[in-house]
Amino acid sequence: MHAPFHMMADKEDRDDGNLGIALETKPKTKRPPMYKVLILNDDFTPMEFVVHVLERFFGLSHAQAFELMLTVHKKGVAVVGVFSHEIAETKVAQVMDFAQRHQHPLQCTMEKE
């Protein structure tokens, strides 16, 4: 009587093992989460500086950068790009470092899309 039950337990263990493998491979096919990089308005950073930052770190044309700067100015915030976590983090760090070196309080943040 005990042998069939023991064999069933072995079979369940093997199924669990297969299930574990299936779960491990699944995330690889999923798209990595993307992150929005945001520029926040303040009353001190010159508009020209914001335009320069958008051109330099986000590859925007002068016209695109100017439009986006106006959006930040009017709405208080604007999404300046959507990137993978690592790239978004790098962009935020570059902008913050650049602003601090030029003694501007410009804020750049990121949030999950």
Side-chain angles (χ1 to χ4, degrees), residues 11-94:
K11 186 182 180 315
E12 283 177 26
D13 289 346
R14 279 196 302 277
D15 287 348
D16 287 349
N18 291 340
L19 193 62
I21 291 165
L23 288 175
E24 280 172 10
T25 56
K26 196 177 175 190
K28 288 177 189 157
T29 58
K30 242 174 66 179
R31 214 182 104 216
M34 299 298 277
Y35 290 80
K36 296 185 283 194
V37 174
L38 308 156
I39 296 272
L40 285 75
N41 190 42
D42 65 71
D43 295 330
F44 306 100
T45 305
M47 291 181 176
E48 301 79 36
F49 185 79
V50 177
V51 170
H52 179 66
V53 163
L54 294 172
E55 290 171 342
R56 180 171 176 159
F57 298 106
F58 299 94
L60 300 181
S61 70
H62 186 75
Q64 290 169 321
F66 191 81
E67 280 300 309
L68 207 46
M69 174 276 296
L70 285 180
T71 302
V72 173
H73 184 68
K74 290 175 191 161
K75 296 189 173 170
V77 64
V79 175
V80 294
V82 179
F83 308 94
S84 68
H85 187 272
E86 202 174 328
I87 293 172
E89 225 173 29
T90 301
K91 298 265 185 204
V92 169
Q94 287 174 328

